[in-house]
């Protein structure tokens, strides 16, 4: 059997796309609703079992279409319950997806690209460079596979209550595929998540933030990491193109006219780099102009990293300063550290990577035979 399929993967289509597909094959557009329910509510990928479709249509679909999520290569479970899946993609690439269970919610952290092109100096994904954009099916397929593995039930045990586009890659640089996948997360016939429960995180691509507002209603998170341009440009090189003032304006515009909404700012605390009390004061002044929540992330180390995590007392002091000025701020608990699933650790150990990708290739070759 050939590894490259010529069938259309229906996971690449959102509701509107699926309607168009059915029209293009001479069927009624409402077939889309039936198929979406099978795929996302029943987790069914076999057309033959879609009993309300009629035998002829089922056979036709089996010939021209498929429902194919990425291949799950490996599952790792952390001592704290965090789960990381390694997913194999055609061509031997792999991405990681992380599930973070908490008392009242379950958050799935989804990747948007293989590698990343932005070169943020404190992120391990950057060290692997950029390979390619993920397709919609590879993005929504991460949610589909996780739901499947967790026994998530749409109308029963909802294991995945939130999705964050905070895995590998810059989601706004893969705009169309990411938006289509987020539509499937939000649509009732898809995963049915509310706007506040689907979050896109960006390193600060200003035109992308503006375009996003026109396309879909989701929560916005921005990786800030510094309250001033000079420092931010050394951490997030994209800042040279879109400096902080422009970024803040885009954030204000993003939530303008939307009821009770705020932007989440992520701020990774690095020892002696961005964790002085002066930074905290500047940050408060900056965030005054945007209704916002601040997520303080202790830096997660990785082999070859040039930064260290701020000591606990400095993290605490930083949080106290911003909170004393009325800014909502939480220190994000590091999760899944033992399995390299924490922020900025995806496709973690650099040295290990060659060996690992070698193994993936072998495993994929086996699966595709
Ligand atoms: N490219 C997008 C999506 C990635 S989200 C973005 O930048 O927002 C991943 C989050 O983890 C970002 O806020 C990123 O800045 C942060 N991060 C990256 N490396 C990290 C590290 N080593 N320790 C802690 N946080 C890190």
């Amino acid at each position: 059997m050939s590894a490259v399929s010529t069938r259309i993967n229906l996971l690449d289509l959102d509701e509107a796309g699926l309607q168009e597909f059915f029209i293009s094959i001479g069927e009624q557009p409402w077939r889309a609703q039936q198929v979406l329910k099978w795929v996302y509510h029943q987790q069914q990928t076999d057309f033959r079992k879609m009993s309300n479709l009629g035998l002829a249509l089922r056979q036709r679909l089996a010939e021209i279409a498929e429902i194919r999520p990425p291949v799950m290569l490996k599952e790792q479970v952390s001592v704290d319950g965090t789960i990381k899946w390694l997913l194999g993609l055609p061509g031997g690439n792999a991405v990681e997806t992380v599930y973070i269970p908490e008392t009242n919610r379950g958050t799935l952290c989804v990747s948007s690209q293989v590698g990343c092109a932005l070169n943020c100096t404190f992120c391990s994904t950057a060290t692997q460079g950029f390979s390619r954009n993920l397709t919609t099916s590879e993005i929504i397929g991460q949610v589909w596979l996780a739901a499947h593995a967790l026994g998530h039930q749409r109308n029963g045990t909802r294991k995945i209550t939130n999705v964050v586009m905070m895995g590998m890659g810059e989601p706004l640089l893969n705009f169309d595929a990411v938006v289509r996948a987020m539509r499937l997360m939000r649509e009732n016939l898809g995963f049915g998540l509310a706007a506040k429960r689907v979050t896109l995180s960006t390193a600060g691509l200003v035109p992308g933030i503006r375009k996003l507002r026109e396309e879909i209603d989701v929560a916005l998170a921005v990786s800030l990491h510094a309250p001033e341009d000079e420092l931010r440009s050394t951490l997030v090189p994209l800042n040279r193109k879109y400096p902080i003032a422009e970024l803040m304006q885009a954030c204000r515009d993003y939530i303008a006219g939307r009821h009770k909404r705020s932007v989440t700012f992520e701020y990774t605390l690095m020892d002696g780099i961005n964790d002085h009390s002066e930074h905290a004061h500047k940050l408060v002044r900056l965030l005054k102009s945007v209704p916002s929540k601040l997520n303080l992330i202790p830096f997660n180390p990785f082999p070859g990293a040039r930064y260290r995590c701020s000591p606990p007392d400095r993290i605490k002091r930083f949080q106290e300063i911003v909170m004393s000025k009325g800014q909502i701020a939480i220190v994000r608990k590091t999760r899944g550290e033992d399995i390299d699933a924490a922020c900025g650790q995806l496709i973690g150990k650099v040295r290990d990577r060659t060996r690992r990708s070698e193994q993936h290739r072998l495993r994929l070759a086996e699966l595709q035979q």
Side-chain angles (χ1 to χ4, degrees):
M1 203 175 77
S2 151
V4 182
S5 169
T6 51
R7 297 195 186 107
I8 175 163
N9 189 354
L10 300 190
L11 292 180
D12 276 313
L13 307 175
D14 57 16
E15 190 175 350
L18 205 53
Q19 284 177 351
E20 274 169 39
F21 164 76
F22 278 109
I23 293 169
S24 78
I25 62 164
E27 291 285 335
Q28 295 294 327
W30 47 260
R31 292 289 185 196
Q33 296 172 10
Q34 292 179 314
V35 169
L36 284 168
K37 273 194 193 161
W38 280 112
V39 176
Y40 296 103
H41 295 194
Q42 308 290 335
Q43 300 269 311
Q44 184 55 263
T45 55
D46 185 349
F47 293 117
R48 286 171 305 184
K49 301 210 174 114
M50 300 186 180
S51 49
N52 56 352
L53 291 189
L55 199 58
L57 178 56
R58 277 184 262 167
Q59 277 168 350
R60 177 118 189 261
L61 286 175
E63 277 163 28
I64 61 171
E66 62 184 355
I67 294 157
R68 189 162 52 90
V71 183
M72 195 179 281
L73 296 178
K74 190 171 165 190
E75 177 180 281
Q76 282 172 280
V77 183
S78 159
V79 288
D80 67 19
T82 301
I83 307 175
K84 182 170 83 168
W85 292 284
L86 181 71
L87 307 179
L89 311 171
N93 283 312
V95 286
E96 292 178 321
T97 306
V98 179
Y99 177 68
I100 307 148
E102 287 170 287
T103 322
N104 295 319
R105 62 178 179 184
T107 304
L108 192 71
C109 181
V110 168
S111 295
S112 58
Q113 298 180 314
V114 184
C116 187
L118 290 184
N119 267 319
C120 297
T121 51
F122 56 92
C123 180
S124 82
T125 303
T127 60
Q128 86 177 106
F130 173 71
S131 297
R132 69 164 171 90
N133 280 330
L134 295 186
T135 61
T136 297
S137 56
E138 290 165 346
I139 300 166
I140 200 64
Q142 296 173 56
V143 190
W144 192 95
L145 276 180
H148 194 69
L150 294 165
H152 171 95
Q153 283 168 341
R154 187 54 209 279
N155 299 316
T157 334
R158 271 185 170 235
K159 295 280 173 73
I160 301 169
T161 61
N162 296 62
V163 176
V164 293
M165 298 298 308
M166 292 187 187
M168 296 163 65
E170 168 51 48
L172 291 179
L173 284 177
N174 183 13
F175 193 89
D176 292 342
V178 164
V179 166
R180 224 174 291 132
M182 291 196 304
R183 285 208 183 100
L184 286 162
M185 295 170 201
R186 295 236 28 228
E187 281 163 0
N188 222 347
L189 293 165
F191 287 100
L193 299 174
K196 285 185 181 181
R197 293 183 177 273
V198 177
T199 302
L200 180 142
S201 179
T202 176
L205 208 78
V206 167
I209 295 174
R210 298 196 176 282
K211 200 166 146 206
L212 185 69
R213 193 186 195 290
E214 286 161 27
E215 292 290 327
I216 189 169
D217 187 4
V218 291
L220 179 69
V222 171
S223 298
L224 192 60
H225 310 306
E228 63 203 17
D229 281 319
E230 201 183 328
L231 176 59
R232 188 165 192 268
S233 294
T234 67
L235 301 170
V236 183
L238 184 69
N239 190 69
R240 293 193 198 110
K241 200 155 181 197
Y242 306 111
I244 293 175
E246 274 180 47
L247 181 56
M248 290 296 141
Q249 187 56 48
C251 290
R252 280 192 289 275
D253 294 345
Y254 187 78
I255 51 172
R258 283 179 174 163
H259 187 57
K260 283 196 178 165
R261 296 292 281 277
S262 60
V263 175
T264 300
F265 289 99
E266 293 151 285
Y267 195 104
T268 298
L269 287 159
M270 289 166 256
D271 186 14
I273 303 289
N274 61 355
D275 60 351
H276 302 302
S277 32
E278 196 192 318
H279 294 122
H281 287 289
K282 277 192 181 161
L283 186 60
V284 172
R285 283 199 291 277
L286 185 66
L287 297 188
K288 269 219 166 75
S289 67
V290 192
S292 59
K293 295 185 191 111
L294 179 64
N295 272 356
L296 298 170
I297 314 171
F299 174 73
N300 290 309
F302 54 90
R306 53 178 115 159
Y307 305 105
R308 281 187 316 259
C309 182
S310 306
D313 58 328
R314 210 168 317 135
I315 296 179
K316 201 161 157 249
R317 198 184 56 193
F318 198 97
Q319 184 187 25
E320 279 165 7
I321 294 173
V322 292
M323 285 184 60
S324 73
K325 307 283 179 192
Q327 171 66 46
I328 304 171
I330 60 150
V331 177
R332 200 190 277 169
K333 255 206 321 218
T334 294
R335 301 284 305 256
E337 216 174 357
D338 52 331
I339 55 166
D340 287 335
C343 303
Q345 287 188 322
L346 296 189
I347 291 286
K349 295 192 172 115
V350 182
R351 261 170 55 238
D352 204 14
R353 220 177 52 231
T354 347
R355 196 162 49 80
R356 271 208 269 175
S357 47
E358 194 53 51
Q359 286 167 355
H360 309 158
R361 258 189 282 281
L362 290 173
R363 182 75 210 288
L364 267 179
E366 261 173 45
L367 287 165
Q368 286 167 353
Q369 260 165 23

